[in-house]
Amino acid sequence: MTRKVALITALIAAVVGASATPANAAAPAPTFTHLTPGGRPKLTETVPVNIVFLGYDTNDVDQAEFRSGLAKTYEPEVRSRQWYGEQEKLGITYTYDYKVQYADQAYQDKFFKRLKQLSTPAPLTVYQEEYNAQTKNVLDVTSNNYIDAPTVEKWLAYNPPRGVDTERNTIFLINWHGRADFKFHVYTKTGEADPDTGYDFGKERDSRKMMAWGGTTRDDEETGLGSTRRVWFADLSAGPEANMANYIVDELDVDGDGQPDYRMPNTWEYTDGGFRSPDALSGDLAKIVRYVGLDLLMTTSPLYPVELPTGTGLPKSINLDSNTYEDWPGVDASAAYIKPELVVEELADLRWRNRLDFDNQDFAVDAKNRACFEGWYITYEPCYDGQELPPDANLFLYNDENIARTKDDDGRVDYELPLINYATGGDFTTPLGYADDNWVDGTQSYVFSFISPGIIERGYGLSTTQIHEAGHHLGMSHPHDGWDSEAGADIGASGDFYFSWLGDENNSMMSYIDLNWDFSQFDRDNSDRFLTAAYFEAANKLAANVLAAKDAGRVTANLRSADTVLGQAKRAFAKHEYRTAYALAEKAYNIVARAADRVGADPAAAAKALHARAEQARVSGKVHDPHEFIDTLEPGHSPRSLP
């Protein structure tokens, strides 16, 4: 819901002379420059976006046509609210400042020489072989080479064309095909195996060979860039690959839903008689930049409200409260397949201003829980008499009813993030997990993760699923689904936006590519922006409660101090200093909170009102249709996908 608190203004008597002013008249309400009691923040950023065509020239890509497909602005909003017919904007407006250039011949020669040096001969992937088996393919892939994606990202980050600052968002659109030194190739990322099973997806699976990469942080333990850079590249001359299913050219509907799926083919397929007309290339590259590079990676919308449903205000301390239903005979799944230190370490990179810790409790599976699980997974039957929600809500309802026993840190920390794990020895192979909402207004509720012999056999433990799903709970979306505010379009990886699967090919824990367990630089930037807005809005809401208090005049100086700090936060935000902006917005909120304490204003009034509304809606049965993200084992987006 749109969270607004009514501004209670002081009644000001008409002034007809100093001697006529009543002694008990209320003082005029103070005015502020940045603090807006009861209102939303107004954060603005002109976002620099460098776009470099590397291997394309003006005959290939018309700049005017390309630019016409790009968005001018973006306003993030909470996506889970949309599923319930409500709009909750964050109070952020981005205006894009595009700098487009075509790399000159000297730079192209230098870059492709480096690609050639990095190329390691390799067998054709099963997807390249499948492409060759099509009847409408333009050519056959006759050889293959592996190229290490992080190495290419790092080279581009530190060797950009003149005038390109890779500390700012930079997208390289690459085409090697057509040059005399061209080699068929795919990009790889190896060496970061699942921490619980030791399975290296990047090494073992052809489905993890890619045509794009980027978003690595400066301090990534495996492939860190050393300093902050914001680079993502997409190479349509790599592949064909599994993730975007562009190895299939004979069919338009690749996911079997009866609708054509819009995918970007390899560059050689943009030809007369090929998969797509050469006239479509400019528009397709604009789609990749707009809907993938910007909407899904660099300037996104949060999945859930980042302030978290504490009922008591914004949390400082968060307990990752793991609870495992142990139903796998002979296996202690929580001990064998969770690395608590890793879970805390990775999530702390995202919520770096929170104090995080982890604990786990094990529970046996009672008859009711088993009935709810089987009704959710096998029979699709509700597990409560008179249940108004569909069986999809079985696990939510059971755990909501039994939440008290999991609250082992209530009072010690500000927020317990509920991680609910199901370990089963049965024939359970998917999903890996999901982050659920409250089935009322889109507020996040429980994080569910699953482990079984079949899941282990496929290479997954519980640690990475917990990190991924907790990332959702903290507001992060997949890099293959999101929102385009200018078009008012929900981006899902199917139909007209099937190509958004390309967003998974970046160094993000939130992707399905399973090549790393870290949050990307883009994730960090977006989370810091979201939290800046959340603290800004919380300060505004709380200021309204302070001004409504009887002794509000005692803390006017405090509110003015908060106003000054919020101004500093806005300036830092506009200068792309996201971490500074977040810290300053939190500081301003804390100043207002201390003022609230001095005058007896309830610092959690707004949060409690939202919580009460949700509870009342649940009791009355007034729920909307739910929307879930079920995280599966494989990208496997096509019924024809190969292992």
Side-chain angles (χ1 to χ4, degrees):
M1 91 182 171
T2 303
R3 303 165 296 166
K4 292 184 177 178
V5 177
L7 171 61
I8 302 176
T9 58
L11 296 175
I12 305 173
V15 178
V16 295
S19 62
T21 302
N24 61 351
T31 58
F32 307 101
T33 304
H34 308 288
L35 186 68
T36 308
R40 280 205 191 98
K42 295 181 180 178
L43 294 163
T44 61
E45 181 187 1
T46 300
V47 180
V49 182
N50 301 308
I51 302 168
V52 180
F53 291 111
L54 183 45
Y56 297 102
D57 60 30
T58 54
N59 292 324
D60 301 315
V61 181
D62 178 76
Q63 188 169 148
E65 183 179 351
F66 172 79
R67 282 181 174 271
S68 70
L70 303 178
K72 296 180 176 63
T73 62
Y74 187 92
E75 293 184 75
E77 56 185 77
V78 180
R79 296 176 57 215
S80 64
R81 300 289 196 219
Q82 298 171 343
W83 312 331
Y84 294 84
E86 300 180 6
Q87 184 181 63
E88 183 182 332
K89 293 186 177 182
L90 271 62
I92 297 174
T93 300
Y94 302 125
T95 301
Y96 297 119
D97 178 20
Y98 298 106
K99 293 181 173 61
V100 182
Q101 68 171 269
Y102 298 84
D104 62 27
Q105 191 64 49
Y107 185 85
Q108 292 183 57
D109 290 344
K110 182 179 180 182
F111 172 73
F112 289 120
K113 179 180 179 181
R114 183 61 179 146
L115 277 197
K116 187 175 180 180
Q117 292 169 344
L118 293 172
S119 298
T120 301
L124 268 62
T125 69
V126 290
Y127 301 98
Q128 290 171 326
E129 291 176 342
E130 178 71 5
Y131 171 78
N132 288 346
Q134 304 281 295
T135 61
K136 298 180 181 179
N137 56 312
V138 166
L139 53 76
D140 283 347
V141 176
T142 55
S143 60
N144 189 31
N145 289 270
Y146 289 164
I147 301 177
D148 184 66
T151 301
V152 175
E153 178 191 8
K154 193 167 190 175
W155 192 93
L156 291 168
Y158 288 103
N159 299 277
R162 183 177 301 175
V164 174
D165 179 5
T166 57
E167 291 185 28
R168 305 299 169 218
N169 296 316
T170 304
I171 299 173
F172 289 89
L173 299 172
I174 299 170
N175 173 41
W176 194 0
H177 185 256
R179 289 177 55 100
D181 56 358
F182 171 71
K183 291 178 175 290
F184 288 108
H185 62 290
V186 291
Y187 295 97
T188 62
K189 164 72 162 62
T190 61
E192 196 164 348
D194 184 282
D196 300 326
T197 67
Y199 187 85
D200 190 332
F201 291 89
K203 179 181 178 181
E204 301 295 338
R205 297 197 184 178
D206 281 357
S207 60
R208 272 57 172 185
K209 307 304 188 282
M210 305 174 293
M211 59 195 307
W213 188 251
T216 303
T217 61
R218 62 177 178 79
D219 55 355
D220 182 280
E221 294 84 354
E222 291 76 26
T223 59
L225 296 179
S227 63
T228 300
R229 294 292 188 272
R230 296 173 172 88
V231 169
W232 184 69
F233 69 84
D235 180 358
L236 291 186
S237 65
E241 60 151 38
N243 199 38
M244 197 161 53
N246 63 356
Y247 66 96
I248 302 173
V249 294
D250 285 357
E251 301 173 17
L252 296 180
D253 175 20
V254 297
D255 59 13
D257 65 357
Q259 300 295 323
D261 297 303
Y262 201 90
R263 297 161 291 131
M264 309 310 179
N266 290 104
T267 48
W268 55 81
E269 287 283 349
Y270 286 91
T271 186
D272 293 336
F275 186 81
R276 188 154 302 142
S277 165
D279 295 338
L281 179 61
S282 299
D284 281 2
L285 293 175
K287 286 181 172 68
I288 290 174
V289 169
R290 174 174 177 167
Y291 298 112
V292 181
L294 297 179
D295 288 346
L296 303 183
L297 300 181
M298 296 172 177
T299 52
T300 65
S301 284
L303 181 61
Y304 291 121
V306 298
E307 54 268 32
L308 301 178
T310 64
T312 57
L314 288 159
K316 185 65 178 177
S317 56
I318 299 174
N319 172 242
L320 303 171
D321 188 31
S322 180
N323 303 273
T324 306
Y325 295 116
E326 298 280 6
D327 196 31
W328 186 348
V331 175
D332 184 343
S334 63
Y337 298 115
I338 300 177
K339 300 285 190 298
E341 298 82 4
L342 177 68
V343 177
V344 171
E345 178 184 356
E346 298 301 345
L347 290 169
D349 284 342
L350 194 66
R351 297 293 285 243
W352 59 282
R353 294 193 63 78
N354 290 128
R355 295 188 302 273
L356 273 65
D357 62 20
F358 184 102
D359 60 51
N360 180 80
Q361 298 182 86
D362 287 346
F363 297 99
V365 178
D366 60 30
K368 187 66 173 181
N369 198 359
R370 192 180 307 279
C372 289
F373 183 85
E374 292 179 354
W376 167 76
Y377 179 63
I378 300 173
T379 63
Y380 199 69
E381 295 177 350
C383 59
Y384 287 91
D385 293 337
Q387 178 176 324
E388 296 182 359
L389 296 175
D392 290 329
N394 281 5
L395 302 188
F396 166 81
L397 291 170
Y398 176 84
N399 285 280
D400 208 48
E401 182 179 56
N402 293 280
I403 189 63
R405 71 184 183 188
T406 73
K407 293 279 187 179
D408 55 328
D409 286 284
D410 197 18
R412 182 182 70 83
V413 296
D414 298 329
Y415 184 65
E416 291 185 78
L417 196 162
L419 305 173
I420 311 297
N421 316 304
Y422 282 81
T424 175
D427 185 22
F428 180 94
T429 57
T430 188
L432 289 177
Y434 63 97
D436 210 350
D437 64 57
N438 65 356
W439 296 78
V440 176
D441 63 2
T443 300
Q444 60 267 69
S445 62
Y446 305 110
V447 167
F448 295 105
S449 302
F450 306 98
I451 196 74
S452 69
I455 289 175
I456 293 296
E457 183 179 351
R458 291 172 180 254
Y460 299 92
L462 278 170
S463 299
T464 58
T465 303
Q466 286 191 329
I467 298 167
H468 178 104
E469 303 304 342
H472 281 319
H473 191 92
L474 295 172
M476 307 313 295
S477 295
H478 295 132
H480 58 251
D481 55 62
W483 171 253
D484 186 281
S485 67
E486 203 168 85
D490 185 66
I491 302 170
S494 63
D496 290 343
F497 292 107
Y498 193 99
F499 62 87
S500 69
W501 284 116
L502 192 63
D504 273 2
E505 296 178 15
N506 88 102
N507 202 343
S508 173
M509 180 67 242
M510 300 312 299
S511 82
Y512 278 12
I513 206 73
D514 305 317
L515 302 180
N516 68 291
W517 318 116
D518 310 277
F519 291 98
S520 72
Q521 185 61 48
F522 308 132
D523 293 331
R524 292 185 184 185
D525 288 347
N526 285 307
S527 182
D528 288 343
R529 286 158 159 158
F530 301 158
L531 286 160
T532 300
Y535 274 101
F536 208 123
E537 184 170 12
N540 284 343
K541 286 183 174 180
L542 188 51
N545 295 338
V546 170
L547 290 173
K550 180 179 178 181
D551 298 326
R554 295 176 52 207
V555 294
T556 299
N558 300 77
L559 297 184
R560 293 200 186 283
S561 176
D563 181 58
T564 298
V565 176
L566 286 176
Q568 295 169 350
K570 288 178 72 173
R571 288 189 288 274
F573 192 94
K575 292 166 62 178
H576 329 300
E577 297 170 358
Y578 312 121
R579 296 214 150 186
T580 300
Y582 168 20
L584 287 168
E586 181 186 27
K587 179 180 178 181
Y589 169 78
N590 290 335
I591 293 171
V592 179
R594 288 193 292 271
D597 186 61
R598 286 184 62 193
V599 299
D602 185 357
K608 287 179 178 178
L610 176 62
H611 181 72
R613 174 196 176 281
E615 288 302 311
Q616 180 59 39
R618 185 181 303 160
V619 170
S620 66
K622 295 179 180 178
V623 298
H624 300 277
D625 290 336
H627 185 109
E628 297 178 4
F629 282 99
I630 303 294
D631 289 308
T632 56
L633 288 167
E634 293 285 340
H637 319 307
S638 162
R640 298 183 56 188
S641 288
L642 303 174

